[in-house]
Amino acid sequence: MNAAILLVEDDQASLELAAYLLEHYGFQVFRAEDGLQGLNTALGLGADLDLILSDIQMPEMDGYQLLRALRADPLLACLPVVAITAFSMEGDEQEILQAGFNGYISKPIDPERFVDQVREWLPSDNP
């Protein structure tokens, strides 16, 4: 079975591009347009999710707040969460990883590399 990925992104163009690329490679993609919607979607899907890709700067609930809420839920605490963000100044990646994200992908995403980058955080039995 193909991996189930939750994309949490408030920029519609970025959300659509990432979803298109992942769906093209057969992943099941769920979409949320802000952190609060992402949290509610993750709580609803629970163990059916394999990975969450989240922007950092979003309305309602930012990526850091989303991560803290996910880590506080026993069912979702171990779920890999990867930041996809335009924060690319020196030190940003380290700050994001120290906050507890499992990984970091800078925006704009590279369509040639994006799916391979995402696969790094998926169980090896997913294509």
Side-chain angles (χ1 to χ4, degrees):
M1 182 166 136
N2 291 341
I5 300 171
L6 172 59
L7 263 173
V8 186
E9 170 64 67
D10 65 319
D11 179 74
Q12 194 63 35
S14 296
L15 179 68
E16 291 304 319
L17 175 60
Y20 170 79
L21 292 168
L22 293 168
E23 288 169 344
H24 178 77
Y25 282 89
F27 295 106
Q28 183 178 12
V29 178
F30 299 91
R31 298 174 177 141
E33 295 181 6
D34 62 53
L36 186 57
Q37 190 180 78
L39 177 60
N40 290 330
T41 301
L43 291 170
L45 292 169
D48 292 334
L49 280 175
D50 295 296
L51 176 67
I52 295 176
L53 302 173
S54 177
D55 190 10
I56 296 294
Q57 191 171 350
M58 298 179 288
E60 301 300 322
M61 175 185 279
D62 69 24
Y64 293 111
Q65 293 168 317
L66 171 60
L67 180 69
R68 285 191 295 275
L70 293 167
R71 296 297 187 236
D73 184 278
L75 189 61
L76 300 171
C78 294
L79 184 66
V81 181
V82 175
I84 300 183
T85 181
F87 291 154
S88 59
M89 298 295 291
E90 186 174 330
D92 285 339
E93 181 176 1
Q94 183 177 357
E95 180 180 323
I96 286 167
L97 295 175
Q98 285 178 342
F101 284 89
N102 297 86
Y104 168 94
I105 298 172
S106 64
K107 289 194 292 190
I109 62 171
D110 178 351
E112 301 279 325
R113 297 182 48 230
F114 178 66
V115 173
D116 287 334
Q117 289 175 301
V118 169
R119 283 187 177 127
E120 292 179 30
W121 293 285
L122 292 171
S124 59
D125 61 341
N126 280 295

